[in-house]
Amino acid sequence: MLSLLPDLSKAQRSAHASPTSDPMADAARKHAIRMLTEFNTGKVTRLKDGRVLREYWIDALNTEIEVAPGVRYAAWTFNGAVPGPTLRCTEGDSILVHFTNKASMPHSMHFHGIHAANMDGVFEQVPPGSSFDYAFTAKPFGLHVYHCHTMPVKMHIARGLYGVFLVDPKTPRPKAREMVMVMNGFDTDLNDEDNEFYTVNGFANVYFRDYPVPVKQGELQRVYLVNMTEFDLLNSMHTHATFFHVYPTGTSMTPTNYTDTISMGQGERAILEFRYDYPGRFLFHAHQNEFAELGWLGQFEVKP
Amino acid sequence: MTPPGEGRPADAGPVNATTRPSALRVVLSGVAPLVLVGLMVWWFLLFGVNYVRLGPPPVEKLAIERVIFKPQEITLLVRNEGPGTLTVAQVLVNQAMWDFSITPGRELARLQSARISIPFDWTEGDPYNFDVITGTGIRHVRKVEVATATPSVSPRALGVFGLLGVYVGVIPVFLGLLWLPFLRSMPRSWMDFWISLTVGLLAFLAIDTFRESFEVMGRVPEFLNGLMLVALGAIGAFLALTGVDTIMRRRGGSRSAGPRGMALSLMIAIGIGLHNLGEGLAIGAAYTLGEVALGSFLILGFTLHNTTEGLAILSPLVQEKVSWRDLALLGLVGGGPTIVGTWTGAFTYSDPLSLVFLGIGGGAILQVISVLVRARAESGESAIEALAKPRNIAGLLVGFILMYLTGLLVAG
Amino acid sequence: MKRAFIPVVLILALAGAALAFVGRRSEAPSGPARTVVLRMSDYTFNGTNPTLTFEPGERIHFVIRNDESSPIRHNFRVVGLDVPCERELQPGETREVTVTLPRSGEFAYTCCTHPGMGGKMVIEGR
């Protein structure tokens, strides 16, 4: 008799996954794992004067993502994920970013760097359906960010429109195993006041539960660390059982600090270099432990 | 002798059988519209829902109905009170993500409840706040002011909470009854004063009961219509007691006068007993909900507050002969339900049940007040005219103020 | 006198019904128990802290072994299924517990002493 009655839960169900398979969560995990070591160097061509031209294609999209197991979020993204793609180039390169707004609100791209006023992404807003080409020379070298600069900016950033813009020095840095870590928060109840979850690279606890980051014992590690957390004045990173050299903003080849904990305001970034002397599992997390307990927690699995 | 062709044969049976419709037709005519409504509902749920999509999804509402503290474990009983299905995604204890178990599952249909078990080393006496974050990212919160181990039904727990009920309800009422000799030594003309004092006292109780029900109403999900639960209890109790009153009067033989003496005292005791049921419920629940540290000062306050209730029961008996057995009965009827209340509040508290109990208590008291006021009215007088006499006004105010002052001891 | 007891009786009946709610338990089916082995080593269960799936109402015999390859003491608990933390297991020690699973639900199994060491047990179907 029960089968005659309509299944009420189906009649009202929105997109939902069973406990054992959750494609949205899998996609978020995969993105976070990929993002750790993925650098987008763009389409490279040579200009007449011999300089390198790098072209990137970036779309603004409305994307529903999963930010913590089971928790969905209607994000505004660059190229479908939060954080957006890491753009990498060398100082002096000519940069051309083809930006298309495929979302439902006006957006823009504001790069942290040195460039002309009309390429700043502030006064030139891109309405939905339109495109804009950002053209400038990559300078200065260092670790920078790009993000949307449409008012209210705190909302446009909080919704996920940011990514890393890495400009390598002409003389490359010493060889190291490189990782990108973007610290952020997600205000899932959209009250525009506080974050419910904190993550690195977009999915809560991904490097603690899903993918302990493999590290070779004794090998030089380089972390490009960026803070794009909205609503909280500070974020931080603390490594267990190792100390790192700090290159603030990456604009110098000389480190300014040797520590295991670094604090950053929003928009700040730094390059960290360290090695692990001992094998085993070592945590890394925000030293604001309230963030660590809401998803900003990871571990390195150090093997010989 | 009826002429042939006219009238009906003598053995045709009762006249009604041919003029009234058959029982079957009656049933069918009642059921047919219901069946049609049922078919319409079934069709709508199966097909019609797809045609009626209006606007964004409805707002989610998840209530954390109860928080149960066990050794190294906290259990949340949650219910989906919103109009749609929701999914439980994460559970935070004091703003930290925590592992948890959930039965029957993460997805809750409308009005469905679930049990969330959290392995957590909690500290007795500390405050905790809980967030359940659903799949849409919305936070549903619940605060506990004072964490206390939830009592499970055991002989010891039954004893402790039973004793609480005795201390707070039964003993004070009996103590109040001890005032009988004092009242008897007062002049007869003071009878009016005592009865009016009782009315004032009961009026305070009634108002206080409804005030408390408003607090609980705020916690009850809207679909349960908390106010109506209280009204149900109140009206039900009022009518039931009126019925009992009428039956007692008929059996007693007197039709005109209201109940007197023992009968009236019994009615007052019943009203107060029902009120104390709600009060015991509130005390037992407040303890287990972690809302109050049950300090000795609080218990003392309740005790004093309830002693005056014994006084109320006495007033009709001042001029009557009363046996010890009668007094004992009155004390038990007035105070005993407190124990039932504390047990229910401690072990199986539910806000909707509490509302019904509070309504019953309030309605019962209102009925007793109406009986008392009518009793004071002399023939030809209206109730207002009766109340307006100086002695009665004085008694009313004294009773009310007495309750107010002792109520101040029961803070919170 | 008798009539006075009517409300008292009513109240007691109410109380009895209320208390009956407290003591109710759902019936669980029984059957042959399936054995599931969980090996604790290096701060994980079975290396990957897997999500285990079960049928409704299954009886499971859990064998929890602290692998001797790593010198760490571990414990085991499943909250919501009445499997509490017991004494710690030394490397090489085993603990066995049989559980009758309910009709549906999701349960977190954890090591009581090591944060993050644990996974999910999922019972499919309602």
Side-chain angles (χ1 to χ4, degrees):
Chain A
M1 186 200 93
L2 281 172
S3 59
L4 276 179
L5 298 172
D7 187 344
L8 286 179
S9 58
K10 284 207 179 72
Q12 295 162 343
R13 196 183 299 195
S14 51
H16 163 79
S18 81
T20 44
S21 84
D22 185 347
M24 217 183 269
D26 289 341
R29 288 185 185 106
K30 284 205 183 80
H31 172 258
I33 295 166
R34 257 199 347 257
M35 211 194 128
L36 203 57
T37 49
E38 191 174 76
F39 301 91
N40 188 339
T41 46
K43 178 169 156 224
V44 178
T45 47
R46 284 269 165 196
L47 292 171
K48 289 202 187 77
D49 59 10
R51 275 192 311 154
V52 168
L53 170 69
R54 288 186 199 269
E55 280 178 275
Y56 308 88
W57 282 262
I58 306 280
D59 293 338
L61 300 161
N62 292 349
T63 318
E64 199 182 21
I65 58 173
E66 204 153 307
V67 303
V71 183
R72 298 183 309 276
Y73 181 66
W76 300 343
T77 69
F78 286 125
N79 285 9
V82 178
T86 303
L87 308 180
R88 189 168 196 169
C89 56
T90 309
E91 189 184 27
D93 286 351
S94 180
I95 305 295
L96 183 56
V97 181
H98 302 285
F99 172 60
T100 307
N101 185 351
K102 295 181 182 164
S104 51
M105 305 270 281
H107 292 303
S108 72
M109 287 184 82
H110 166 69
F111 285 81
H112 284 221
I114 300 172
H115 45 253
N118 63 338
M119 291 298 157
D120 200 29
V122 172
F123 301 108
E124 300 278 348
Q125 292 290 311
V126 183
S130 296
S131 296
F132 191 94
D133 284 348
Y134 295 93
F136 49 85
T137 306
K139 63 174 174 172
F141 76 83
L143 173 59
H144 307 305
V145 299
Y146 63 88
H147 59 84
C148 174
H149 213 292
T150 309
M151 299 275 273
V153 180
K154 78 175 179 188
M155 187 195 291
H156 282 248
I157 291 181
R159 293 299 282 261
L161 288 164
Y162 44 84
V164 173
F165 178 50
L166 175 58
V167 182
D168 286 324
K170 289 201 173 92
T171 322
R173 293 197 171 90
K175 189 166 174 335
R177 186 275 191 102
E178 297 188 319
M179 293 181 271
V180 174
M181 292 191 186
V182 177
M183 306 187 284
N184 63 7
F186 287 101
D187 170 26
T188 57
D189 64 358
L190 299 175
N191 67 355
D192 242 23
E193 282 173 16
D194 50 24
N195 291 307
E196 271 66 48
F197 296 100
Y198 296 88
T199 82
V200 58
N201 290 349
F203 193 73
N205 290 328
V206 67
Y207 304 124
F208 180 63
R209 281 208 194 264
D210 305 301
Y211 183 73
V213 180
V215 167
K216 197 158 178 299
Q217 183 179 356
E219 186 192 39
L220 180 65
Q221 310 292 313
R222 183 176 295 127
V223 170
Y224 295 105
L225 183 68
V226 174
N227 180 17
M228 286 307 289
T229 314
E230 192 62 74
F231 308 125
D232 291 281
L233 295 179
L234 286 183
N235 204 333
S236 63
M237 173 161 169
H238 165 60
T239 49
H240 280 220
T242 191
F243 276 57
F244 46 80
H245 291 277
V246 180
Y247 303 80
T249 322
T251 44
S252 165
M253 303 299 274
T254 317
T256 56
N257 203 354
Y258 181 57
T259 178
D260 62 4
T261 308
I262 178 170
S263 278
M264 290 180 180
Q266 199 207 56
E268 279 193 274
R269 56 270 186 206
I271 300 179
L272 320 177
E273 285 182 358
F274 55 92
R275 289 171 214 270
Y276 267 97
D277 292 348
Y278 297 93
R281 287 171 184 261
F282 299 95
L283 296 183
F284 63 94
H285 57 89
H287 217 288
Q288 280 95 338
N289 285 292
E290 65 219 62
F291 296 174
E293 268 138 25
L294 287 174
W296 181 173
L297 178 66
Q299 52 181 324
F300 290 120
E301 199 173 359
V302 182
K303 291 196 168 128
Chain B
M1 184 70 187
T2 47
E6 281 184 317
R8 291 168 59 250
D11 60 346
V15 181
N16 293 339
T18 50
T19 51
R20 244 183 39 197
S22 67
L24 182 64
R25 276 186 66 184
V26 170
V27 166
L28 280 180
S29 61
V31 164
L34 285 177
V35 169
L36 285 174
V37 169
L39 277 175
M40 194 199 80
V41 166
W42 179 81
W43 177 87
F44 180 76
L45 289 173
L46 205 53
F47 304 108
V49 194
N50 300 321
Y51 296 115
V52 188
R53 280 189 205 285
L54 304 161
V59 179
E60 277 180 354
K61 199 155 180 280
L62 180 78
I64 304 179
E65 289 185 335
R66 264 192 96 185
V67 180
I68 301 171
F69 289 92
K70 296 186 206 161
Q72 292 167 323
E73 187 182 319
I74 302 177
T75 303
L76 305 177
L77 297 179
V78 303
R79 186 181 298 277
N80 176 6
E81 289 172 7
T85 315
L86 58 74
T87 311
V88 170
Q90 293 291 337
V91 173
L92 311 183
V93 180
N94 281 355
Q95 299 298 303
M97 286 165 80
W98 222 263
D99 282 330
F100 63 96
S101 299
I102 186 166
T103 48
R106 285 175 183 264
E107 205 180 278
L108 300 181
R110 187 170 182 240
L111 301 184
Q112 194 175 7
S113 71
R115 184 183 205 91
I116 298 177
S117 305
I118 310 168
F120 194 95
D121 255 312
W122 53 275
T123 309
E124 177 100 12
D126 278 1
Y128 287 94
N129 58 67
F130 301 94
D131 297 54
V132 177
I133 302 191
T134 43
T136 48
I138 297 175
R139 277 181 7 186
H140 308 267
V141 306
R142 167 93 190 229
K143 267 192 172 51
V144 171
E145 306 286 341
V146 180
T148 36
T150 305
S152 48
V153 183
S154 67
R156 187 175 172 276
L158 278 171
V160 166
F161 280 96
L163 204 63
L164 184 65
V166 169
Y167 218 85
V168 170
V170 179
I171 290 180
V173 172
F174 272 102
L175 285 177
L177 293 177
L178 291 179
W179 285 58
L180 189 56
F182 170 74
L183 289 187
R184 291 240 170 105
S185 62
M186 292 283 121
R188 286 180 72 108
S189 52
W190 278 62
M191 187 63 173
D192 281 349
F193 180 78
W194 297 125
I195 298 284
S196 303
L197 189 143
T198 305
V199 171
L201 211 140
L202 291 174
F204 179 95
L205 280 184
I207 296 172
D208 205 40
T209 303
F210 290 121
R211 177 197 61 79
E212 203 175 303
S213 73
F214 286 128
E215 274 177 32
V216 181
M217 257 187 253
R219 294 201 298 256
V220 158
E222 267 193 54
F223 75 91
L224 280 180
N225 209 336
L227 186 60
M228 286 306 147
L229 286 175
V230 176
L232 179 71
I235 294 172
F238 193 96
L239 293 176
L241 284 179
T242 309
V244 166
D245 170 28
T246 314
I247 292 171
M248 273 167 53
R249 270 195 284 145
R250 277 209 201 116
R251 294 261 186 102
S254 72
R255 297 264 179 94
S256 51
R260 295 233 176 264
M262 184 60 189
L264 184 56
S265 279
L266 195 59
M267 287 196 65
I268 296 174
I270 291 172
I272 286 182
L274 288 174
H275 158 79
N276 279 337
L277 180 67
E279 212 168 75
L281 192 75
I283 295 174
Y287 178 71
T288 56
L289 292 180
E291 275 160 29
V292 71
L294 216 56
S296 43
F297 192 63
L298 190 68
I299 298 178
L300 204 63
F302 270 113
T303 309
L304 284 173
H305 189 64
N306 287 347
T307 307
T308 45
E309 288 171 5
L311 191 66
I313 298 173
L314 278 182
S315 326
L317 294 176
V318 172
Q319 289 157 10
E320 309 277 325
K321 273 192 66 166
V322 174
S323 70
W324 283 112
R325 231 177 75 191
D326 288 343
L327 277 182
L329 174 72
L330 288 174
L332 278 177
V333 170
T338 320
I339 301 174
V340 176
T342 48
W343 280 343
T344 314
F347 301 122
T348 74
Y349 178 78
S350 91
D351 281 327
L353 190 67
S354 158
L355 281 179
V356 175
F357 279 11
L358 287 169
I360 290 174
I365 292 178
L366 285 177
Q367 203 273 343
V368 174
I369 290 176
S370 79
V371 166
L372 286 173
V373 169
R374 272 186 284 127
R376 287 297 91 209
E378 251 115 76
S379 52
E381 252 183 353
S382 74
I384 300 297
E385 283 170 347
L387 281 174
K389 297 203 186 102
R391 200 171 284 155
N392 291 342
I393 295 176
L396 249 163
L397 287 177
V398 168
F400 203 89
I401 291 168
L402 199 64
M403 286 300 271
Y404 182 81
L405 288 176
T406 54
L408 289 178
L409 291 171
V410 184
Chain C
M1 279 300 238
K2 264 187 262 177
R3 285 167 228 125
F5 285 116
I6 294 174
V8 176
V9 166
L10 276 172
I11 289 162
L12 284 175
L14 255 177
L19 285 174
F21 264 117
V22 176
R24 108 202 117 144
R25 291 262 182 276
S26 57
E27 289 301 310
S30 62
R34 174 156 76 96
T35 304
V36 170
V37 177
L38 288 171
R39 188 176 50 87
M40 303 189 282
S41 74
D42 189 30
Y43 304 110
T44 62
F45 285 94
N46 290 0
T48 53
N49 291 323
T51 301
L52 309 168
T53 44
F54 299 103
E55 305 276 308
E58 264 197 284
R59 273 187 75 219
I60 305 291
H61 181 72
F62 286 105
V63 174
I64 303 113
R65 223 184 85 233
N66 186 352
D67 203 82
E68 54 274 329
S69 59
S70 66
I72 309 164
R73 296 196 303 273
H74 290 292
N75 211 324
F76 180 72
R77 145 183 222 187
V78 186
V79 69
L81 278 184
D82 268 330
V83 179
C85 302
E86 284 184 356
R87 56 177 186 81
E88 283 188 319
L89 297 173
Q90 304 288 334
E93 273 196 271
T94 304
R95 174 178 159 199
E96 305 193 20
V97 60
T98 308
V99 182
T100 306
L101 300 174
R103 299 230 59 82
S104 69
E106 234 183 76
F107 299 91
Y109 68 87
T110 51
C111 168
C112 313
T113 41
H114 299 129
M117 179 173 167
K120 282 201 296 212
M121 295 184 184
V122 179
I123 303 169
E124 306 251 64
R126 288 181 192 221

